[in-house]
Amino acid sequence: MNGKTTVNKTASRREFIKQFLAGLIGGVLGLLPFAAGLVVFLDPMRRKSASNGAVRVASLEALPADGVPRKFQVLATRVDAWNKMRNVPIGAVYLRRTKEDQVEALNVACPHAGCFVDFVPENGRYHCPCHNSSFTLAGKIDDPASPAPRGLDTLEAQIRDGKDIWVSFRNFHAGRAKKVPVA
Ligand code: FES
């Protein structure tokens, strides 16, 4: 009687271990597709925005030869965690010819509080409608009473292939005397 009980106990222990191992292996194998799916799901979070760097803003022939500035919207490709969006407006610039084959770019955002400035052809100055800052054609502070702590932010501009204007567009923190890029 005792021998039979011991044999039964050993058999049921073996059965238990077998079932436990089968369950464990099944659980691990079941997790693999989930882990792979999680990697695919989270992958976009590791990608960087494609809008970093220079973007084509306008053609050179769109700029008047007399150096009068023109305003252009800046469009770029934006990549967030899960989407890639093309031609998203990320800001605006004033472009003007400083020579026949040379272009200057200014961010239109006023460095005081970020309103967009207007170019006033009558006096060849930029004016901010929010608190009346004014800037010269080159973007320097014009009226010393202007509340803006610095001139308009210059941006790097290049002419490529003799016809396209590319701008390294950045926004900078408003309200500071120093030009500090927004991350
Ligand atoms: S935002 Fe331009 S002067 Fe205040």
Side-chain angles (χ1 to χ4, degrees):
M1 184 82 172
N2 274 350
K4 209 174 173 186
T5 310
T6 307
V7 170
N8 282 345
K9 273 187 182 170
T10 308
S12 66
R13 201 179 301 134
R14 266 201 216 112
E15 190 55 32
F16 171 76
I17 292 171
K18 256 202 297 191
Q19 282 185 2
F20 175 76
L21 286 176
L24 189 70
I25 291 167
V28 169
L29 289 178
L31 277 178
L32 285 178
F34 174 74
L38 197 64
V39 168
V40 170
F41 181 69
L42 294 177
D43 180 57
M45 295 179 96
R46 293 183 289 139
R47 289 186 202 151
K48 283 190 173 166
S49 168
S51 66
N52 290 338
V55 289
R56 184 191 175 281
V57 173
S59 64
L60 185 58
E61 66 180 11
L63 287 189
D66 60 4
V68 172
R70 290 206 43 205
K71 187 158 113 181
F72 296 90
Q73 200 174 40
V74 179
L75 304 172
T77 300
R78 274 255 161 101
V79 179
D80 67 15
W82 289 276
N83 298 298
K84 183 173 185 177
M85 293 157 286
R86 296 181 194 283
N87 295 327
V88 177
I90 58 169
V93 291
Y94 275 106
L95 298 178
R96 74 179 176 105
R97 286 186 201 245
T98 47
K99 286 183 187 165
E100 197 183 325
D101 58 350
Q102 203 171 302
V103 167
E104 183 181 79
L106 297 172
N107 194 321
V108 302
C110 176
H112 178 226
C115 295
F116 278 13
V117 300
D118 298 314
F119 179 69
V120 185
E122 291 73 27
N123 64 10
R125 298 277 191 270
Y126 296 96
H127 174 253
C128 180
C130 290
H131 314 98
N132 287 324
S133 283
S134 64
F135 306 90
T136 67
L137 190 60
K140 309 264 185 262
I141 290 179
D142 180 34
D143 179 354
S146 293
R150 62 176 190 269
L152 295 175
D153 296 314
T154 52
L155 298 164
E156 194 185 317
Q158 290 178 331
I159 297 169
R160 295 190 189 173
D161 303 324
K163 59 184 176 57
D164 294 318
I165 303 169
W166 288 68
V167 175
S168 299
F169 185 79
R170 300 294 310 252
N171 281 310
F172 299 88
H173 284 285
R176 302 185 187 179
K178 271 185 88 174
K179 198 176 157 190
V180 179
V182 174

